[in-house]
Amino acid sequence: MELVVNNDEQMKAGMMAAPGKSGRVNAADFDSAELRMGPPLGQGLYLIVSGPRPKPDANIRLLPMLGDPETEYQQIELAWETRAAHDHDDSMGVDRYEKSMPLSGLSGKKGIELVGANGTKKFNLTGH
């Protein structure tokens, strides 16, 4: 597993190494994204993303953009939506979020590309 584009430091400095960003009106920023192995009996590799919550009542979501199975990097968009008044959890009012998703069956031919409001980050999952 090789990180193709590491833009954590560029994000902290306010510069993006990778061109592009999400065109969604409700796209969310991220300042950290990494891959981790799940539990031994889990679903393998997980994408872990964190960043600033855009609003206190924002529910952050990772949305795989399903489509062309021949794409090199499967895009996963980071978006937010306002929680309903009756939906509340321990993260209400917290100014940061952390989200994860299993990557089983979600990779393109080379890997995945996280797409947020502040840029993109690619992960090569082919090992070369």
Side-chain angles (χ1 to χ4, degrees):
M1 164 177 51
E2 174 186 336
L3 182 63
V4 174
V5 178
N6 181 352
N7 54 4
D8 287 340
E9 292 304 314
Q10 289 90 346
M11 280 189 240
K12 289 175 188 171
M15 305 176 317
M16 291 303 300
K21 58 183 179 179
S22 178
R24 287 180 175 268
V25 173
N26 63 335
D29 289 339
F30 66 99
D31 54 23
S32 176
E34 63 182 319
L35 301 179
R36 292 185 200 158
M37 288 303 294
L41 298 175
Q43 296 184 9
L45 203 57
Y46 281 73
L47 172 64
I48 313 292
V49 182
S50 63
R53 189 175 301 276
K55 292 175 55 176
D57 61 345
N59 180 30
I60 308 297
R61 300 186 60 198
L62 290 165
L63 305 171
M65 304 308 297
L66 304 176
D68 183 7
E70 297 298 313
T71 188
E72 288 189 351
Y73 290 92
Q74 176 66 50
Q75 289 189 337
I76 299 174
E77 287 194 300
L78 189 59
W80 66 275
E81 60 191 14
T82 302
R83 291 188 190 107
H86 64 279
D87 290 342
H88 66 281
D89 60 25
D90 293 336
S91 66
M92 285 290 281
V94 176
D95 61 351
R96 295 198 48 82
Y97 71 86
E98 181 174 288
K99 288 291 179 177
S100 65
M101 95 179 309
L103 295 179
S104 178
L106 291 179
S107 178
K109 289 172 24 177
K110 290 186 178 180
I112 63 164
E113 178 179 23
L114 177 64
V115 181
N118 60 334
T120 68
K121 186 170 185 176
K122 289 183 179 179
F123 294 93
N124 185 342
L125 303 178
T126 62
H128 46 30

